[in-house]
Each structure stands twice: as structure tokens, then as C-alpha cells.
Amino acid sequence: MATFGDIGLAAGVNILTALIFLIAFAILRLQPFNDRVYFPKWYLKGLRSSPTHSGAFVSKFVNLDWRAYIRFLNWVPDALKMPESELIDHAGLDSAVYLRIYLLGLKIFVPVALLAWAILVPVNWTNNTLAISQATDKLEYSDIDKLSISNIPHGSKRFWTHIVMAYAFTFWTCYTLRKEYEAVAAMRLHFLASERRRPDQFTNEGCRVIILNQLLTCKELSDVQVKIVPASVLVKNVPPDHDESVTESVEHFFLVNHPDHYLTHQVVINANKLAKLVKEKKSKENWLDYYQLKYSRNQSQRPMTKTGFLGLCGDKVDAIDYQTAEIERLSKEIAEERERVKTDPKCIMPAAFVSFKTRWGAAVCAQTQQSRNPTLWLTEWASEPRDVYWDNLAIPYVSLTIRRLIVSVAFFFLTFFFMIPITAVQSLANIEGIEKRAPFLRPITEAPFIKSFIQGVLPGIALKIFLIVLPTILMMMSKVEGFLAISTLERRSAMRYYTFNFVNVFLVSVIAGTAFEQLNTFIHQSPSDIPITIGVAIPMKATFFITYVMVDGWAGVAGEILRLKPLIFFHLKNFFLVKTEKDREAAMDPGSIGFNTGEPQIQLYFLLGLVYAVVTPVFLPFILVFFGLAYVVFRHQIINVYNQEYESAAAFWPDVHGRIIYALIFSQLVLMGLMSTKGAVQAPPLLIALMVLTFFFHRFCKGRYEPAFVKYPLQEAMMKDTLERAREPNLNLKGYLQYAYVHPVFKDDEDDEDEDFNGKSDDSVIVPTKRQSRRNTPAPSKMSGASSPSLPDVVLENSSSLK
Amino acid sequence: MATFGDIGLAAGVNILTALIFLIAFAILRLQPFNDRVYFPKWYLKGLRSSPTHSGAFVSKFVNLDWRAYIRFLNWVPDALKMPESELIDHAGLDSAVYLRIYLLGLKIFVPVALLAWAILVPVNWTNNTLAISQATDKLEYSDIDKLSISNIPHGSKRFWTHIVMAYAFTFWTCYTLRKEYEAVAAMRLHFLASERRRPDQFTNEGCRVIILNQLLTCKELSDVQVKIVPASVLVKNVPPDHDESVTESVEHFFLVNHPDHYLTHQVVINANKLAKLVKEKKSKENWLDYYQLKYSRNQSQRPMTKTGFLGLCGDKVDAIDYQTAEIERLSKEIAEERERVKTDPKCIMPAAFVSFKTRWGAAVCAQTQQSRNPTLWLTEWASEPRDVYWDNLAIPYVSLTIRRLIVSVAFFFLTFFFMIPITAVQSLANIEGIEKRAPFLRPITEAPFIKSFIQGVLPGIALKIFLIVLPTILMMMSKVEGFLAISTLERRSAMRYYTFNFVNVFLVSVIAGTAFEQLNTFIHQSPSDIPITIGVAIPMKATFFITYVMVDGWAGVAGEILRLKPLIFFHLKNFFLVKTEKDREAAMDPGSIGFNTGEPQIQLYFLLGLVYAVVTPVFLPFILVFFGLAYVVFRHQIINVYNQEYESAAAFWPDVHGRIIYALIFSQLVLMGLMSTKGAVQAPPLLIALMVLTFFFHRFCKGRYEPAFVKYPLQEAMMKDTLERAREPNLNLKGYLQYAYVHPVFKDDEDDEDEDFNGKSDDSVIVPTKRQSRRNTPAPSKMSGASSPSLPDVVLENSSSLK
């Protein structure tokens, strides 16, 4: 049992760690050679270029200005200074609303913490139940417990305070949630309303050329696209027709059924081979750049290369000539392939992006059923081009149901039985196992250091690897399930990751034993006993979770800002791989928010905060520090580091709201279980009533605010259409919309094929259906990808060793 | 334990009862004086008139044609002869699809019964487990049990047969369900597609007058309306506006947001007082008719009446003059009130029926969100005029959530705690209680006959009254919840009634004890034990449920066709109350299908059939007889008796489908519980897999077929619009649509106010918001209203006496 001293010590260590990280960050970020690590966002936006153009050679790499070091904490006010509206322009609405989750944590828990410390702590403290039971039963207790509900005597009238507080906390949380939902919904609608159908530079004359130029200057590509949200609808499951091609079929269908609104469409083409060729050509071009640079520096000697594998074997030829020839060959092949995919009906997928003359028409088409068979001609509002997940555009309806079944079953087994293969691997990877299989290794494995290393680290490695790849596994599951937008994939993965964390981090920590053992217990336990089992264990685990918050929350968040992994990787790449400026850009690893791992982690804190608010109010300040610190850190990261992968206009908020409600109801359930064992007979009915009220609050919010996230009001669409017509009566949309839905990799390729691109005006556009690794595709952020499972694996190792 | 002999005796008794009912019906229906009882549907359609116009006086009342009696069973082929398409024309799609539920029962259970008798019965029979346990443990067993799963020894390999059969039955049921869902969805779409926007007699010239005449000839009113389904949308929650009235506000909103499609609208007006006046006037007119008839028969003496209460006291005046004066006074008042409700803004409700030029426009408006605030300008496809429930048109959104909360909680308490007040009433209503409170009654209550009557009957009366009014209570709950169509109200009530029956009839019969005691047990029992508890009890209750099926199903259905209650009431009314021809029409009580009570009863049979299919196959033939008999009887009743209250185009099918799936999964769960106690270790995993598969089959069906019941495909709408435009390019819809949504009571009143009606052309129409009792409003059918609770109350009395 931890005393205040223990907690203080742990806090000290973690605060120290966090401080070291922050100071290291403050110093490292000022060094010019780290500029691309700590400010990649600005590079991606083209608003910053390498600071290596002037001054002494040393100052290219090291900042020698001592004044900069004095203001080393300046990044905090800098991060907070940018107003929200500017932040939305800079990093998108998703990022801005993501930050509001942390703010929401502060909004909920600051008043809750104040109230709890003002009322609950004195009520708990002024008892001596624990002291008595220590005297009589020799029960140990900690100082923390003295401040918790455990210190109230059995059947005391003081439990009324806790019930009233549970009501107060619930009402406050619901009030805040409602306010926030309202605000986010308004932000989303405002954001969607202020979107333009075209970039700013768009004029009536020659619009297409400008647009194409826009699309072709890669630097600003992502930025421009944020503003281009055409009134487009994705239509899937176009039924096959013997007489007509897909594109004719689509055109006829929409000309008949939306005659006043249909404008144009783009059929989706499966162009995996083409994309591969394009990628190959790009690599060759990069090499050509490199050799030309090399030649321009040292004109005495033409660079040479070998034609074989990785340039290591084969004939030695002139590098520049060779690469030029290769590029020419590839260009020809690409042109051929391009023709082929256009004419080959096998490459045409039964899906299309249909554009409408008016937003009204698009809103109508996206929200209505088209055909009498509800599995054909499925329409949905097209996500913005960056957000489309091309692989899943052609899944037939029946297959979707089966995929969903398979993934559900797989996820169930993953959650409850993942320990089985890991335990199996662990049992193979112990000293005896290795010695048995490879006796010749015995002299090595018997060395004390190696032996202890194997025994201490190896068993954990299987689990650690699993936890690191878990988000990827979950993401793959979502992909198999057949969602069409990257944002949806991430939302789904987040839901699964939260469930996994809830079962395997929260429940496993609270009640010893693996998830599977618990499942078994819960099945054989009566429903009324489950809240009791969890409720009774909750106060005892308070110190454990306080430590968890400090390690994972405080030090972890501080570690996130240091970006140690991208820092090291950037410098390694810079040293070994970077040949050209393009490569240097590619070596930047800005990362992204990583909603699929980040949000479930925040939700775990909401859960802990709500569960402990009434039970152990001492817990709350630790949560508050986390929310405060994380808010500042992530605001800084979003402004300076993360690349925006897509813009879903905060479509994730209903999930965030729903999970907090879930945590709230769970906390009430647990409190009921706990209090019913402590003789508070009035608690169960009152808390059940509270749960019902909370649930109906959720129902209300769902009806009142969720439509803003899934539907498209016609009134708004009509307003925007009218405005647009009044401003630009002759807007030529068709020309522009023609090329709205082109895969980014494909667009990059258009650099040197403008004439080809401009020359074509049929309504099909070639896109690869296998997603390519893009330059700007961010890896999951360090915070969410690596540091978040840091505690789970401790927990799981413990639980697996218990088996 | 019942032997085959007992079952045979019970079957004999019930078959005899059923036969007596059927023969009585066959004779009574041939008597002319019963014609209006057994063929009211034809009277309502105006296709039959009283057969009392010719022949001898006696033959007016009694059928003396002996040949008619020979063919007394002719009604069966007559009932089956009408083809389905004609039935749809005659009684509506709802009725035709309702009959398909019985057919579905036959389709599912005939092959299941054959397979079960061919395979399961021999497998069960060729064991002697029960005989051995009788010899060793003196356990009693019945012959029925020998054919059931109970006769298989513990851990026998023969359980594989049962598992395979469970799979086979499930696949067959799912296959049939899918076929049926597909067929019903196609029927619905076809029905909706063949609806006309106007009655057949509608021509381009002077269409409005014809329409009005149509509406005014009451006889054909209901028929005409089936075909009039205008492309209208109901818009609710029109936000209040200081500058505009509701009608202006609606017009502006739709002119702006649906400029190409908006045609006209009708604001809903609260006209309860007006409706009351109209009703009063109608009664006076009826009296006037009566007195004039009386005077015409006997011209010697003017009929007199008294002006006071019920014509019993007050001054004596000339009846004809008095009624004429009263009618004039009321006509004036009605005119005044009509003016008042039109000008008084308090009477205008924030809801309107909006009509569109095209079905496409209406389909779009009904399926999309209009305003940025999803609780305002709510649109939904307007139900047909008969189906509108006027009371609920003006409920604001927040109130709806609260109402739903209250009703959910109330229904929970109703289901699980309804025995408490009834037990309290019962304890008051016993002999001692009465004697204590009213000692002067002692001499009477001490009389042996009265004493036994009180003791035997009184305690049951409270329960019986409750069960008779239960459907009404559930209907009221649905009304409070705020649904807008009578069909929706009935569907919701059906759901609740099924839940109530499932808990209080099925579970209470299977496991002794009241619902509340069970709830208590289930909460304190582990989830894995619940299927075991139910599963073990299931085979023991087979004979009980066989008796239930015979009493409630066989005799009850045969009793339904006899229509004893309407028969008696019709003749009583005819004798005492009927003054005019209008009254005679009003004395007919055709009843209706009564979906809210009838469907849950059928579902109980599906549940029983599916649960016992594997466990006790002997059960199945009894179910088959029920489905066959009920199909014939209800087909006859639908053709000849029931009045069609509304037409929802089979909107209830998803509910029917869902409840059968629920019963299927429940039966698998119960089987799993039962087999796990009998040492069939292979059963639980296989049956869990089956449950998961069944659930995903349900998900698939929901996605594939349900949209046909809730959405409106644009392709269909466009096709119909195009056809209509091609056929009648100059159709004047506006004139007709003006008066589509008028309350029936109100329409009847227009008889003598044509000029008023024609003269007005503003777009508001006055409707009472309190629903009036209409002449054709049917009481729930006897079958569902009275006979269905016959067993439940036996059961419940038993269970309450157990307390």
C-alpha cells in the first residue's frame, strides 16, 4: 500500500523525467539542423525553407545565439497563442477539434476536482474506519485510502454525500458534453459552409489550366485540396450491364434520375500496374537528379553506374544516359498502360464519383436511396480526395456482411485470447527451450549477463511486438471490413483499440487474471455481482493508476514533444540516404495525430477520472496535470509538426461523446457495486435511476446533434448554391471537377505529362486501387504508437506470469 | 405427467368445441338477419345491401332454403378461392401480407415437422433412459417425454443428430424468411408503384368538383382513399417566427429550398371544439331523420319531445321543429367556429402537409434533412390520410425524448411489477375483507352460493380486467410516446405486447414464479446458468403448451369466426337503439385485424414451434393445425368481415421478420442450455456459432430488404413521374391535393356545406386534433382482444397463488 511519500517519490521521478524531456526539446529545437524534425509542418506548407542559406558554417547546424536559450520555454505561449480560427486554417478542423478533447477533459475535471476536494475529501477524511480495522483486523491501509470512500463506515449516512456528488458530477459532465457537442456541431457546419468549391486563385477564364497547375505544384497540393470539396457523391455497386459500359451506365442512370442536377462523373479505374510503373519512373528520375547534381559539381568525370541489382553488379554504363533511357522507356510503358486500363473493361471498377451542378443536388443524391434494390447504386457523400481509401471501392454488398462477421469474430478472439499465442511463444523462448533446440549455443547462453538478458527480456518481447503492431492489426481489420474513407477506418480502429484497452488494460489491472479468465468469470457470475467485483477492487487500485497516469500521461506526453525516434531517424537518413532535396523532404517524418491510437488513450483517462471522481478524489489532480500538459504539447505539435492526412471535418466527435457517456455509465455502475457492499442501501436504486437518465441524455444528444455529422441539410446547401450563383454566375465547374478525384501519386506523375492530361476530356480518370506509400503518409505519432502500450505490457506481463 | 391418452382427450374436447363453433357459424351465417354480422365488409364497400327487400316475411330473417345447409362448409373453399391480387384490391396489402404470416408458419413448420418426425422421433424413441431412471429412481415420465430429447442418455453420441437438426431447421427457417422478405418487399414496392395520385373517375375537366363529390359520398370514401396517395410529406416542428404565420413560414421555406418541386401545403389546425359541434349536429340530424320517419308513418300526430336531459325532462315541444331549430343553431355555430380557428393563431399547429409536383420531389424531401438544426423542419413521408394520428403532430423534440424515457420506464414496471397492484386488489376483494369493511353485508356473503362465487371469481376479476385492458394500455403508451401514424402506434404496441407475453406467458409458464421473481433470479444468476434454467424446464412443459395451443389456438380461432360478441351486440342494438338506416350501419361492428394484439399471438406460436422443434417434435403437428386453421379463418374474416382501418403497405414486415429471428436465436440458446446439462460437450460451441450466423443473417436481411420499408427509391419515383407526365400532361394536381388531408369526421360534415368548401381556396384545412370515434373505427377483433388472454390469466392466477 502506497503512502503519500511513495506517491510523492514516483511523482518526483516522473516530473523529473518530463522536465528532462522538455528541456532537451527546448534546446534541440533551437538547433538549425533539427529544424526539419521540429517544424516539418511549415516545410510541408512551403512556408519555411532550410535555414542553411547564410551565416557561418557552424551556425548552419548549431544555434550560437545565447538569447534564444533564455527564452527556451517560449514554445508554450507560442503554442497557446494561435487563435482557434487560425488553427483551423493552418491544420484543419480535425486537429482543432482533437485538441478540444483535452480541453473538454479540463472543463469536466477542474470543477469536479474542486468540488470533490471541497466536499468529498473532508467527508472521507473525518472517519476512522480504516484506523479501527487496522487496530482490530491488522488490515494495512495507505494515506490515499484514508481520503477515499473506503474510510466511510459500513452503512453510514455519509454515503448520501457520495450519491449527491455522483449526481452532481454526472450533471456537470452531461452539461459540458452537451455544450461541447453543440459547439463542435456548429464548428463543423460553419467549416463545411465556408468551404470553397475551388481554390482562391481560380478565375473564370482558363480555370482549368490554373487548376491543373495548382494540382501539379506538389508543395501546395494538400493545402489547396482542403478547400476543394466538390459537390460530389460516391456511387458504389453499379450493376453490371451487358449493353453498356460502367461509365455509360452511370451517365444514363443519373441523367434519368437526377436530370436537373447531374453534371459529370469519374469512373474509378483499377490501375495498380500503372501506379507501380509511375513509382519506378519517379525513382529513376530521382537518381537522374542525383547524378546530374554530382556531374555539375565535378564536371571532370561522368558518373557511372552498373545496370544490375541495386547498381552493384552488371555492366558499367554512363549513369546519366542510362537513367535518361530508362525514364524514356518507362514513359512509353506508362502511356501504353494508361491506354490499356482505359480500354480494358476488366480494369474499370463498378464505382464512380458523380459531381452535381449544385450542392443541393449532391446533398439530395447522397441522402436518398436510388434504386429499388438497396444494395445497388449505393450513394454516399464523397470524402475529400485525400481521404478516399481506394481499395474498398468495389466490394459487393453480400461480401460486406460476411467481412463484417469475420472481423467481429476475429476481434472478439483477438481481445480475449491474444495471450494464448504469446504465452506459447514465451514458453518456447526461454533458456531451456533454446538450449534444448540449439545445444551448441549453450556456452553463450550460460554466460550470466546473456542469461539474465534472455530471461528478463525475451519473454516480454513477443508481447511488446504484439502491442506495437496492434494498431496496425486493428487498422487492417477495419480495411478488411470495407470502409471507404481513411477517416472512417481510423474511427473504427479507435473504437476497437478502446475496447481492447478497456478489457486488457483497465479490467485486467483492476481484477487480476487475463481477459480470458475474466470473461470466463463474468459468464459464470451473476450480473449483479459483476459491478460488485469491479467496484470493490477499484479503490485498491487507485495508487496503481496514479502511477500509470504519471508514467504514461506525464512522462509519455513530454516524450512525445521530444520526438526522439523521428529525430534519430531523420539524422540517420540525412547522413546515409539523402541524395537530393526531394529525398530530404522525404526523410522528414512529420507523423500525424494518429486518431486511431491517440483518442482511445485519452478516453482511458476520461474513464479513470470518472470512475475515481467519487471513489478516490485524490486521483483527480493527476488527471488534470495530464490534460493540461497534453493540451499544450499537442497544440504545439499540431501547429509545428504533424502533417494533416485528411480532413473529415470533426466527423469523429459522436464517437468521442459516446465513449465519454459510456465511461460515465460504467463509473455509475461500479460505484453502485461498491456502495452496495458498504451497506448503502439507498445507493442502488438512485444510481440505477441516474444511469437511465444518463442513457436518455445520450439518446437526446444523438438525436439533436449527431445529424450534423452524418447528414447534409438542404437549407444550407441551397444557401451556398444561391450565394455562389450570385457571385459567379458563369462558373465553369465541369472543367474543374473533371480532375478532382485523382490519386495523389498519380497527380505527382503529371508533372511531365501536362499535355496528356489536358488533352483528355473523357470522364474517366485513372487511379491505382492499391494505395501507395505516399511521401506525406505519416507514421503514427510516437506518443500513440509506442508509448501508449508502455504500461499495458507491464500489466500484461504481470497477468501472464500469474497464469 | 400427461400420457397420450390425456392429450388425446384434451384434443378431442377442443376439436369438438372447435367443430361446434364452426357448425354454429355455418348455420348462423346463412340466416339473412345475421347478414350484417357476417358480411359487414361488403356492406361497407357498398357492394351488398340488406337482403330484406323481397320474399316472405319469415325469409327476411331465417333462411328456409334447405340446399344452402347442405353446402354449409362452402365458406372454406370460398375463402381460399380469391386470388391474392384480388385480395389486395379488396382488403388492402396489409391484410394480404398479414395472412402471409400464417402461411409462413406453414412453410416453415411443415418441412420441419416432417424432418423431425422422420429423424428425431425415431432417434429419441429407441432409447430407454427414462425407463431405466423410472426403474431406479422412481421418476415418473409420460409417453410424450419418451419421444423427446429427455429420452437420450447422458453424453450420448446421438446428440449429434439434434445439433445437425438444429442447423437444418435454422437454415430452412432462414431460407424461408429470406424468400418471404423478398416477396413481401417486392409486393410492397409493386403496390406503392401502382398507387394512383387520384381516383379513377378523375378527369382533367372540373376535376375538383368530382373529387369533392367523391369525398362526400361517404360510402366509397375509404375505398377511394386507398388509391389517393398524394406525393406529400409531413413537416413537423416548424419553428415559430415573429414576422410570419406558420403557413407563410412553410410556404417560404419550401419555395426557397425546394423551388422546382414544391406545389402546395396544408397547415394542421387544432379544431377540437369544431369537431365536437359537428358531432352534436350529426346526432341532431339523426334524431330529425327519426322523427320525420315516424311522422311519415303516422301523419295523424306530430312527434313531441322534451328539451331537457336525454329528452326525459323539460318542456314538451314539437320534435321536428325543435330539431330543425337546433340544427340551424349548430350550423351557425360551426360556421363561426370555422372562421375562428382559421384566424386564431393559437389554433394553428406548427405542422403541415406539404405536397410536391413530382413524386421525386416528395421522395427527396422525405429522406433529407432540411435545416441545420435537426430538430426543426422534420420531414417524413406522410402516411395516407386515414392513418394520420392527429394528436401527436405538434410535439416538440425535447418533449419526445422525455416521453420516450417515461414510457420505457413505465413499460418496464408494467411488465415486471403489474402483479403487485393486482395482488393488492385481490387481497382486498376476499370475503374477510368485504365483511370487515361492510359488516352489514354479512348475511348475504354468508350464503353458500354467493360465498363461493366471491371466493372463486372475485380474485380473478382484477387480473382479467387488467388483461382485457392491457392492449389499450399499451396503445396509450404508444400514443404518449408521440408516433404520428396509427400503423406505427399499432406496430409499437405489438412489440410491447409481444414482450409482455414473452415474459408473462412464456417465461412464467416455463419457470414457476412471477415475472418479478424471475427478474430477481436472473439478476442474481450467472448468465451461463439462465439458458440452463430455461432449457431444463422446457421439455417438462411440453404437454402444458400443447394444451395451450389447443385451447387458445384451435378453439379460440374457431370462436373468432363465430363472432359471438358482435352477433349479440348487433341484435341488441338492432332491437333497442336502431332508429334509422344510418344507425343500422353504425350498429355493425366489423372489427379489424387488430395487428397490435393479433401479431404478437402468432409470434408466440412461432416461438413455441421453434423452441420445441428439436426438443419435443411431438409438439409440431399441433402448431401446424393452428396455422392451417387460422389461415383459413382469417382469410374468410378479412374477405367478409374486417374493415380496413388504414393501409401501411405492409410496413410491419420487418417487425415480423425480426421477432421470428429473435425466437430462433432464443430457441438455440435454450437448446444449448439444455444440452449442456445432458453431457453433450460438443453442443455449446456449435450452437454459439449457429447463433452468431443467425444474427448475421438478420443483419444481412436488414440491410438488403429493410430499406424497401423505410426508404423511397428515387428511380421508382422518377419512373412514375415520367409515366404520369406522358399520360396526363395537364393534370391539375393542386386543386385535388388541396383537400387530401382532411379528417374523416370533418369530411362527413361537408355534406351540406359544399358551397363553403368549394368557395375557399386558401391552403389551410381544418382538422380536429383529438381523434373522434368514427363510425368505421373497429374494435379489436374478438380473437385478439378477448380470447388471447384466456390462458395467460390462468397462468397468472396460478403463479399469483403460488406467491
Side-chain angles (χ1 to χ4, degrees), chain A residues 575-589:
Chain A
F575 198 77
F576 291 110
L577 296 174
V578 168
K579 297 185 293 288
T580 64
E581 192 64 15
K582 265 188 185 173
D583 281 356
R584 182 162 296 120
E585 212 152 278
M588 290 196 309
D589 175 16

Side-chain angles (χ1 to χ4, degrees), chain B residues 210-230:
Chain B
I210 294 177
I211 280 294
L212 287 172
N213 284 345
Q214 276 291 334
L215 294 178
L216 301 175
T217 59
C218 304
K219 190 80 80 186
E220 287 159 349
L221 182 63
S222 56
D223 238 50
V224 168
Q225 280 187 337
V226 175
K227 286 169 189 158
I228 307 179
V229 176

Side-chain angles (χ1 to χ4, degrees), chain A residues 710-728:
Chain A
V710 288
K711 293 198 165 179
Y712 308 91
L714 295 186
Q715 195 181 16
E716 298 268 320
M718 191 51 101
M719 256 161 57
K720 281 160 71 182
D721 286 336
T722 314
L723 261 176
E724 202 172 79
R725 250 198 305 271
R727 278 199 200 135
E728 262 131 335

